[in-house]
Amino acid sequence: MATDQSIDWAETPAAVWRRHRQGLRAIRRLDPVGWSELTGIGRQQEALARNTERFLAGEPSNNALLWGARGTGKSSLIKALLNRYQGQGLRMIEVDKDDLVNLPEIVDDIAELSWRFVIFCDDLSFEVGESGYKALKSVLEGSLELPPENVRVYATSNRRHLMPEFMDDNVKSEMRGGELHPAEAIEEQVSLADRFGLQLSFYGFPQDVYLQAIDALFPQVGDRESLHREAIRFATSRGARNGRTAQQFYRQFAGDTDGFGR
């Protein structure tokens, strides 16, 4: 396995695990999304920033799970976090769900370094029968050996419990002695998510928040009424009001704003 020695962390803020080369590759072009560019998720920004600042300061901090509706800014928040804190020693390693079996070895290679690492798992979820979550569990809470103090896991997911939930699982729960005892499948689902001490929920935007995001992307447009009308029509055609929809609207109309006035 290629180790962290192939990465100059003084010059490299982030890397990605590549399974075919069995090693880390420096990320050459970071997404430049800025902290102040994010809209509609101020509560989540504040909570994740506070946790990350504690982590960078060597104070008690949590692994973080960002879960909720698609396109609501979960991944963008992680990217903006790196851009904001890389100058303070934050480094990030992106690991795909299918490569989590390699996670203990990746962590072993960085555990003694002076940098503070966030392992970033984007769009994380597990299907029935998948076993990759076992390696993730060991990194989140350790086993005989405690997890390293310079590593935290930040994951995004559309699922609150990271695993599929079936009606049949609830049917198998039992009442014993007046107490509800969840079925083993439910216990397994909840136990993984429970290892993330910080859990932040994300939801689709109310219309006013969506339009605030649109306004931030089109500060030069004078005819707000026309802009908003077109933006609402655009969101309705996609069935979603969120940050991703606002960005897509911007990319489609950024060079053609004459129709909105100035």
Side-chain angles (χ1 to χ4, degrees), residues 47-219:
L48 194 63
R50 183 167 59 249
N51 187 71
T52 303
E53 288 168 4
R54 291 176 62 84
F55 173 51
L56 292 172
E59 299 173 357
S61 59
N62 282 306
N63 300 296
L65 173 62
L66 287 60
W67 68 272
R70 70 188 190 279
T72 48
K74 302 183 295 296
S75 300
S76 293
L77 177 52
I78 300 293
K79 297 171 185 176
L81 189 81
L82 175 61
N83 291 331
R84 189 184 197 198
Y85 291 106
Q86 60 174 283
Q88 300 179 36
L90 182 66
R91 297 295 181 262
M92 198 166 288
I93 297 175
E94 184 171 3
V95 181
D96 188 79
K97 180 196 74 171
D98 293 334
D99 296 324
L100 287 175
V101 64
N102 299 298
L103 194 53
E105 286 77 13
I106 295 171
V107 170
D108 282 347
D109 284 342
I110 61 177
E112 302 301 323
L113 301 181
S114 60
W115 309 98
R116 294 272 163 168
F117 290 90
V118 164
I119 304 295
F120 175 36
C121 300
D122 196 22
D123 197 19
L124 185 64
S125 64
F126 298 97
E127 302 302 327
V128 175
E130 289 186 313
S131 58
Y133 71 90
K134 295 179 180 178
L136 178 58
K137 277 186 176 181
S138 70
V139 171
L140 290 171
E141 287 199 345
S143 50
L144 283 177
E145 182 178 26
L146 289 172
E149 286 300 317
N150 72 327
V151 177
R152 291 294 180 270
V153 177
Y154 285 6
T156 70
S157 180
N158 294 335
R159 293 172 174 169
R160 182 175 186 178
H161 292 149
L162 301 177
M163 292 185 173
E165 301 177 54
F166 302 103
M167 181 64 70
D168 187 52
D169 295 336
N170 293 298
V171 171
K172 293 176 181 176
S173 299
E174 300 176 351
M175 289 291 296
R176 295 199 297 269
E179 294 183 350
L180 177 64
H181 292 263
E184 289 184 4
I186 294 179
E187 289 283 8
E188 186 76 357
Q189 294 160 1
V190 175
S191 69
L192 179 58
D194 274 353
R195 285 167 167 79
F196 291 90
L198 177 61
Q199 298 188 19
L200 301 173
S201 56
F202 291 70
Y203 301 94
F205 290 173
Q207 182 162 293
D208 62 329
V209 175
Y210 169 67
L211 293 177
Q212 288 173 20
I214 293 295
D215 286 341
L217 292 168
F218 292 90

Side-chain angles (χ1 to χ4, degrees), residues 7-14 26-27 86 91 115:
I7 301 292
D8 179 4
W9 291 111
E11 301 294 332
T12 304
I27 293 178
Q86 60 174 283
R91 297 295 181 262
W115 309 98

